Amino acid sequence: MRGRWIRTAAAGLLGLSVCLLSACGRQTAAVIIAGSTSVQPYAEVLAEDYALLRPDKLIDIQGGGSSAGITAVESGAADLGMSSRKLKESEQGLWSVEIAKDGLAVIVNPASPVGDLTLDQICGIYAADIQNWSELGGPDAKIHIITREEGSGTRSAFEELVMGDRRITNKAIVQDSNGAMRQLVADDPHSIGFISLGLVNVGERPVKAIRIDGVAPTRENVLDGSYSLFRSFLFVARSRPEGPALQFIEFIFSPGGRLLLSGEGLIAE
């Protein structure tokens, strides 16, 4: 991804307490956005371009996870929440809009000879039914299972799309962001994880996105329905946005905003 001009807070909701700026002698944030670490990098890119058009409207973007972003919106701590999971029944009263679709990639270390798994096999790995790579055509080595934390939109999507009514084993190593999971898989030849498809090729060290039931995780295969692992990226608010928040959303749905998201690997048709 391109360089960022915006400082983000990995601590998510804790970052919502940052000084808003008049007290620090800086410009006051026009819009505070918090939530999904999957959506966050794309929101940052959008905000970077938006700043060229509206340098007077600072967009403050923070992480924390989908559930944290929704909670921030509900409490009024953020103007917009970012979610990479569907809204729960208790959240249906919120306003929401899909800004793009994203594929979910199951990743392994590039050194792994395993490049194609079935959904049942992936479910079996994460349920700890399958514990050694030799059962899948790989080396005689224990599978190191990497997952996201509870409340993560990426984890919620994986559980819905892959696990069904099965639970992810409590022996899995938990990471709190796509970037952390990606780095761990890049460093460990016996690991497996899952991240946003648009982030597979982002980073200094490569990871390998595996085929699922013989189908490669590509934008084209998501669009034609042959690749089944994809989810919606949402912006959420307490009510229909107005003012600077609405103006930013309108930019996201402008031709320039759609082109930008597509160029970053998302499906923004």
Side-chain angles (χ1 to χ4, degrees), residues 46-256:
L46 287 162
E48 181 181 352
D49 269 36
Y50 187 66
L52 300 177
L53 300 174
R54 295 298 302 270
D56 59 319
K57 301 297 184 184
L58 176 64
I59 310 294
D60 182 11
I61 299 176
Q62 306 167 14
S66 296
S67 294
I70 291 169
T71 298
V73 162
E74 290 175 327
S75 69
D79 302 296
L80 296 171
M82 301 176 289
S83 178
S84 52
R85 64 164 173 80
K86 295 178 181 177
L87 296 183
K88 300 175 182 177
E89 185 175 350
S90 61
E91 300 162 345
Q92 291 296 320
L94 296 172
W95 178 92
S96 67
V97 64
E98 180 186 274
I99 66 165
K101 288 185 174 66
D102 178 50
L104 192 65
V106 177
I107 57 172
V108 295
N109 188 277
S112 173
V114 176
D116 195 328
L117 294 172
T118 67
L119 276 179
D120 286 343
Q121 286 173 325
I122 297 168
C123 180
I125 292 170
Y126 272 85
D129 296 336
I130 302 172
Q131 300 186 29
N132 195 293
W133 282 114
S134 63
E135 300 176 63
L136 302 167
D140 182 11
K142 181 180 178 181
I143 300 173
H144 299 159
I145 304 166
I146 320 296
T147 188
R148 287 292 304 277
E149 78 283 7
E150 294 282 356
S152 157
T154 307
R155 177 172 175 146
S156 294
F158 182 84
E159 289 173 332
E160 177 183 347
L161 296 169
V162 176
M163 301 303 295
D165 59 359
R166 304 292 306 277
R167 290 188 59 82
I168 294 175
T169 175
N170 58 15
K171 297 179 182 179
I173 300 167
V174 178
Q175 295 295 296
D176 63 1
S177 71
N178 276 274
M181 181 180 287
R182 187 189 184 286
Q183 185 61 49
L184 200 54
V185 173
D187 290 340
D188 182 352
H190 304 311
S191 63
I192 187 169
F194 52 88
I195 62 173
S196 166
L197 177 57
L199 300 178
V200 168
N201 296 317
V202 176
E204 295 181 0
R205 300 192 60 188
V207 292
K208 180 170 68 174
I210 64 171
R211 293 173 175 266
I212 297 178
D213 293 309
V215 181
T218 65
R219 177 180 181 277
E220 292 72 23
N221 289 341
V222 169
L223 280 173
D224 68 19
S226 59
Y227 186 78
S228 60
L229 301 190
F230 65 91
R231 64 305 186 30
S232 295
F233 280 174
L234 306 176
F235 268 20
V236 179
R238 279 200 289 185
S239 58
R240 180 175 174 79
E242 299 177 350
L246 177 60
Q247 291 165 7
F248 183 56
I249 290 173
E250 288 174 341
F251 167 73
I252 294 173
F253 284 93
S254 70

